[in-house]
Amino acid sequence: MTSASTASGAFTAARTTGRLEALLAGLREDVGRGLPPDLTAHLVGERLAPHLGAPDLLTDEQRQSDPDRYRQHLLHAEHDGSFSVVALVWLPGQATSVHDHVSWCTTGVHQGRERERRYRLLPAEDGTARLVATADVVNEQGEFCGFAPPGDIHRVWNAGPSTAISLHVYGADISRLGSSVRRVYRLPADC
């Protein structure tokens, strides 16, 4: 089994751990049930939660950061394209843009904490659209959340003083798509 890392979109081979292999077997079972996306995301989170924080889940390479932006490590892409597992490593202050996703997603914090701002897209009277912040969430180590489009617009960042690592499970083959992001929103957003 191989995995991949990227800071700029190129994937390179890396090894997996026994704990990750066990997690993948459980994810295959959950994803293979063919349930609705939001329910699948929740079940995947319950499967992911016991592994969060375990020191034997990731290799040292999969914990490596990038000084310029959060770093993505592709841990696994299922051969049939049904799901992918990615570790994101965030140095303090690193953030995503406001975005949504190509599929359902489950995120669990493996180390540190992440902040998340969720948005809703509203039409404006002049025919344009605008983003309205609907929630600010702090996800601590061991916590997970899941969501499915539509209604998955958010921004994530590391507001803490140390490195944060999160695991993301997507209902798509990120190795082929290159990203889980469907759209980046550059519209004015409420702060």
Side-chain angles (χ1 to χ4, degrees):
M1 187 75 44
T2 60
S3 63
S5 301
T6 182
S8 61
F11 297 113
T12 58
R15 66 183 175 85
T16 61
T17 66
R19 181 178 282 273
L20 180 59
E21 291 296 334
L23 173 59
L24 294 173
L27 294 176
R28 281 185 195 101
E29 185 178 310
D30 292 339
V31 173
R33 294 174 66 182
L35 297 171
D38 54 347
L39 183 53
T40 298
H42 181 75
L43 290 174
V44 165
E46 289 181 341
R47 180 76 67 173
L48 180 62
H51 299 278
L52 296 172
D56 59 341
L57 181 62
L58 301 175
T59 66
D60 289 342
E61 180 184 9
Q62 293 161 348
R63 296 172 166 275
Q64 294 299 309
S65 61
D66 181 292
D68 297 323
R69 59 184 305 275
Y70 68 90
R71 185 166 182 189
Q72 174 178 260
H73 297 275
L74 180 65
L75 305 179
H76 177 79
E78 189 69 356
H79 66 89
D80 65 0
S82 60
F83 71 92
S84 299
V85 182
V86 177
L88 296 183
V89 182
W90 315 75
L91 294 176
Q94 292 179 335
T96 68
S97 57
V98 177
H99 66 281
D100 61 10
H101 296 272
V102 297
S103 69
W104 61 264
C105 175
T106 301
T107 301
V109 178
H110 183 63
Q111 175 183 313
R113 92 171 38 120
E114 290 180 352
R115 292 192 57 101
E116 176 187 20
R117 177 163 290 154
R118 298 175 186 170
Y119 296 91
R120 185 173 62 239
L121 187 63
L122 296 176
E125 291 181 17
D126 64 1
T128 62
R130 67 185 182 99
L131 291 174
V132 175
T134 60
D136 283 313
V137 179
V138 176
N139 298 301
E140 301 285 346
Q141 189 268 315
E143 295 179 340
F144 72 88
C145 64
F147 48 83
D152 62 324
I153 303 170
H154 69 162
R155 178 177 180 262
V156 181
W157 68 97
N158 178 0
S162 60
T163 300
I165 301 174
S166 53
L167 269 67
H168 300 240
V169 183
Y170 301 107
D173 186 344
I174 302 307
S175 69
R176 281 187 266 181
L177 298 175
S179 174
S180 67
V181 174
R182 180 174 68 102
R183 180 183 314 152
V184 172
Y185 292 85
R186 301 196 191 287
L187 300 172
D190 291 350
C191 296

